[in-house]
Amino acid sequence: MHDIVHDFAQYMTKNECLTVDVTTLGEATVETSIERVRHLSIMLSDETSFPVSLHKAKGLRSLLINTGNPWLGVALLDVFKQLTCIRSLNLSMSPIKDIPNEVGKLIHLRHLNLAFCGELRFLPETTCDLCNLQSLDVTGCDSLKELPKAIGKLVKLRHLRIDDSGADFIPKGIERITCLRTLDVFTVCGGGENESKAANLRELKNLNHIGGSLSIRNLGGGKEDASDAAEAQLKNKKRLLRLVLYFAEENTELRANEDSLIEALQPPSDLEDLTIASYGGLDLPNWMMTLTRLQVLRLDYCENMEVLPPLGRLPNLEGLGLTSLKVRRLDAGFLGIEKDENASINEGEIARVTAFPKLKKLWIWNLEEVEEWEGIERRVGEEDANTTSIISIMPQLRDLRIENCPLLRALPDYVLAAPALQELGISRCPNLRKRYGKEEMGEDWQKISHIPKISI
């Protein structure tokens, strides 16, 4: 904003909002301004003691503390006793190790931000007494091994962010928080001592307001089966836009059942972003081709997958990543334009076929067994004098990256002639380097020389 607008905003809120750097201004500034303040952001150095005068701010509604002081947890004990009107508490990136049990006294608290408190070891059970809590963020708290057991008591909770935390499971009772809008990670418990405390996939059934991004991890690593996955009813989570399905990499004895498990995890048809990782099945689920609004698809480390579905028929796909698959050919089936024996074309008609109509970025990594990427001439049945086929493939492709595909012999002509292609990156592909490399005087260098940015 303009400086004048900024200064005016500060003037209008001078009795409500206060930002204090105690390391430079000293505690006197806090004392003279604190009693009427409603929103306080305070910065302390590692050596600065916590200002006792803060306890006078009885009407404080939001408090942000920025400090590296390891004694913050001790200071908070008095803060929680004195400042019981707080609605929002932000301690993100602080070195706090323990949250005092007295946090349960903050019954008006709506938002608790503990993101990236890397030394935080546990949340007290009294956290579940915060009957008005709407947002809890423990993102990046990698020392936090589990959430409070009674988390189901937080019936007004709308946002629970636990990505990159050390929590190995979601406690039982999550099904009661039917107001939940954000649940970024759900980890399937792999058994052991935590199994009796962990929520099952079935507890997702009534959480139909969950939106944004959801990552389900350790699939196949516990006792969950296809019936549990079906009971989760992901397809009813209409606000879900991004879904990540991580299967348990170390699990071997249950991998034969993963095809039925993934089939039962059908997402809503409006999904825009899908990642499937470490899936041990041979085929992708039947619901894949119903995701007509899908914009980004990643298939990572699905090392038993030999055949891809007709992904070229996904009308809105803009980004596609293929990593560590067992695929040997990228053919007409992958493009979705193989000849349909049941299709009828009337005499004189033009058959228009478009594969990957909106694809802009394509990443192909570690497909170590792929040898052939079929060109256009082998994709559609022969034309006759009465019909004409107009084929368009990846007309909007702008960025193509291929890495560690040592057996791949050539790129298809529709890629080489792609009108929108701006970037081509090839790495650890000796056959392609020999064929297209400028320094190697490759026989087909001229076919790619028009691309503005090339890295081989």
Side-chain angles (χ1 to χ4, degrees), residues 220-240:
K223 293 185 177 180
E224 272 82 355
D225 56 20
S227 63
D228 294 313
E231 196 70 19
Q233 296 187 13
L234 294 187
K235 61 184 178 182
N236 292 336
K237 317 298 191 264
K238 301 299 184 182
R239 301 179 182 181
L240 200 61

Side-chain angles (χ1 to χ4, degrees), residues 77-364:
L77 184 60
D78 290 328
V79 171
F80 292 165
K81 290 179 179 179
Q82 301 292 330
L83 308 181
T84 55
C85 291
I86 288 181
R87 266 67 167 173
S88 177
L89 178 62
N90 188 338
L91 303 174
S92 60
M93 295 186 286
S94 70
I96 190 169
K97 295 182 179 180
D98 302 299
I99 301 293
N101 288 327
E102 283 71 15
V103 69
K105 298 182 181 296
L106 305 179
I107 59 172
H108 300 290
L109 194 66
R110 265 74 163 171
H111 309 285
L112 179 56
N113 187 346
L114 302 169
F116 301 102
C117 295
E119 298 182 40
L120 183 65
R121 297 174 296 187
F122 74 97
L123 287 176
E125 285 298 319
T126 54
T127 306
C128 301
D129 294 335
L130 300 173
C131 55
N132 290 299
L133 195 66
Q134 297 179 9
S135 173
L136 175 61
D137 191 346
V138 291
T139 303
C141 297
D142 47 12
S143 297
L144 182 67
K145 299 308 178 186
E146 60 182 84
L147 298 171
K149 290 183 292 185
I151 196 169
K153 291 170 60 179
L154 300 175
V155 293
K156 291 187 179 180
L157 195 66
R158 295 191 174 195
H159 308 284
L160 177 60
R161 296 180 174 89
I162 59 176
D163 195 18
D164 291 327
S165 71
D168 293 328
F169 63 93
I170 297 288
K172 284 183 176 179
I174 193 76
E175 62 183 345
R176 292 189 292 178
I177 313 179
T178 55
C179 291
L180 209 57
R181 301 290 195 272
T182 303
L183 178 64
D184 54 1
V185 174
F186 185 97
T187 302
V188 175
C189 181
E193 61 181 14
N194 293 326
E195 186 174 356
S196 62
K197 300 183 289 184
N200 185 283
L201 273 172
R202 291 172 177 267
E203 292 207 28
L204 293 176
K205 178 179 179 179
N206 296 321
L207 306 185
N208 288 333
H209 295 299
I210 291 177
S213 176
L214 171 63
S215 174
I216 303 179
R217 300 178 180 174
N218 199 40
L219 282 165
K223 293 185 177 180
E224 272 82 355
D225 56 20
S227 63
D228 294 313
E231 196 70 19
Q233 296 187 13
L234 294 187
K235 61 184 178 182
N236 292 336
K237 317 298 191 264
K238 301 299 184 182
R239 301 179 182 181
L240 200 61
L241 299 178
R242 180 174 184 265
L243 178 64
V244 182
L245 300 176
Y246 280 110
F247 286 78
E249 295 181 35
E250 69 280 358
N251 185 40
T252 56
E253 67 274 7
L254 296 177
R255 294 183 77 79
N257 299 324
E258 289 186 5
D259 53 351
S260 60
L261 185 59
I262 197 172
E263 195 69 54
L265 290 168
Q266 181 176 356
S269 58
D270 290 346
L271 198 73
E272 296 179 358
D273 190 320
L274 173 66
T275 296
I276 300 176
S278 300
Y279 169 57
L282 299 176
D283 302 304
L284 287 172
N286 293 323
W287 47 256
M288 174 69 72
M289 300 310 300
T290 68
L291 304 179
T292 55
R293 295 193 180 184
L294 198 66
Q295 297 177 17
V296 179
L297 173 63
R298 300 174 186 85
L299 303 175
D300 297 339
Y301 304 98
C302 304
E303 297 179 351
N304 293 324
M305 191 178 297
E306 297 183 6
V307 179
L308 293 171
L311 299 178
R313 295 180 184 173
L314 293 172
N316 289 296
L317 197 65
E318 297 183 6
L320 175 62
L322 306 174
T323 302
S324 296
L325 311 180
K326 204 175 182 179
V327 174
R328 291 185 171 87
R329 295 174 60 196
L330 297 174
D331 54 15
F334 161 67
L335 296 171
I337 59 171
E338 70 274 20
K339 186 177 181 180
D340 187 348
E341 300 295 340
N342 298 320
S344 60
I345 302 176
N346 296 327
E347 184 174 338
E349 283 188 353
I350 297 176
R352 300 182 183 274
V353 182
T354 303
F356 294 106
K358 293 187 178 181
L359 193 70
K360 296 180 174 63
K361 294 184 179 182
L362 175 59
W363 309 273
I364 300 175

Side-chain angles (χ1 to χ4, degrees), residues 1-70:
M1 63 178 69
H2 193 281
D3 286 349
I4 295 176
V5 178
H6 178 264
D7 293 345
F8 179 68
Q10 281 192 318
Y11 172 77
M12 292 299 293
T13 61
K14 65 181 179 180
N15 293 324
E16 292 187 8
C17 303
L18 181 63
T19 299
V20 178
D21 186 346
V22 177
T23 60
T24 58
L25 299 177
E27 188 169 334
T29 305
V30 181
E31 288 191 25
T32 56
S33 312
I34 201 67
E35 291 189 15
R36 298 177 60 187
V37 75
R38 292 290 182 269
H39 311 284
L40 174 64
S41 174
I42 186 167
M43 286 159 279
L44 307 170
S45 70
D46 296 0
E47 297 81 20
T48 308
S49 60
F50 202 83
V52 179
S53 54
L54 181 63
H55 301 160
K56 298 178 182 179
K58 301 296 184 181
L60 199 63
R61 296 295 189 270
S62 62
L63 174 61
L64 186 154
I65 301 176
N66 186 336
T67 182
N69 195 319

